[in-house]
Amino acid sequence: GVDSVSLSQIKAVNIIPRNKEIIIGPNRDFVFTGMVKAGYITFHSNESSFNYDTFKLNMPQIDSIAFTVDSVNKRTNRKERVNVKNVIASVSGELLIDQASNKSGIKNLPVYPIFNSQNDSYVYFDRKSIAGGSYDRENFYYTVYPFSFDSLNNFTTRGLKFDGALYAGDIMAT
């Protein structure tokens, strides 16, 4: 019956466990599957674990990472959060919530939360809203090389760049 768990209000890190369950272990550690919200980022993860001593989440199987960014609405001239249309898929990594000695958040360390990916991941372009879904994920995708991404509560679209390689199948054949 666990709706959500706030791991850090100051760093805006919350989990929403699938099926409303977590498995609690010793020393406030626990395991869960579900959604992790960290600032402007949402992770959809499986078999993740929280380690209290290191104050981090280990996420060996992340289905997708979704981003929101601040944008100015051209009609109202107000800042609002909008979803980035593509997600990063098939990721594994760790989320450092805050410095392990700063669990209370008493020190202002804006570089946290930090996400470190541990493998190549992918951006696919096969949604119907992109060229009618004509870019099949087997033949057209962007490989994202392992990356580290900090300041998840205050980054800009300029910080939303990932090294990688585009696989374009037969589109660019000579």
Side-chain angles (χ1 to χ4, degrees), residues 98-144:
D98 206 331
Q99 194 173 60
S101 62
N102 193 42
K103 292 177 182 77
S104 67
I106 200 160
K107 290 186 277 184
N108 181 19
L109 302 171
V111 71
Y112 288 96
I114 300 168
F115 178 72
N116 298 311
S117 79
Q118 297 167 335
N119 65 309
D120 285 354
S121 47
Y122 305 92
V123 177
Y124 300 109
F125 304 90
D126 57 349
R127 289 194 343 255
K128 291 278 185 204
S129 61
I130 301 173
S134 60
Y135 295 118
D136 178 58
R137 69 176 45 210
E138 300 298 319
N139 296 313
F140 192 91
Y141 56 87
Y142 184 76
T143 301
V144 180

Side-chain angles (χ1 to χ4, degrees), residues 27-77:
N27 192 33
R28 294 165 277 202
D29 296 350
F30 60 86
V31 177
F32 70 99
T33 289
M35 191 171 12
V36 177
K37 293 188 173 224
Y40 285 64
I41 309 231
T42 301
F43 303 87
H44 294 274
S45 67
N46 297 296
E47 300 175 17
S48 297
S49 61
F50 171 69
N51 183 291
Y52 180 76
D53 285 340
T54 59
F55 209 49
K56 73 177 178 182
L57 285 168
N58 291 305
M59 297 184 282
Q61 297 176 6
I62 303 168
D63 294 333
S64 65
I65 301 174
F67 299 86
T68 57
V69 293
D70 287 331
S71 179
V72 176
N73 183 312
K74 292 178 182 173
R75 288 189 315 252
T76 64
N77 207 28

Side-chain angles (χ1 to χ4, degrees), residues 3 5 22 25 33 36 49 106 113 128 143 148 150-151 153 165 170:
D3 289 325
V5 176
I22 60 174
T33 289
V36 177
S49 61
I106 200 160
K128 291 278 185 204
T143 301
S148 183
D150 63 34
S151 310
N153 287 318
D170 294 334

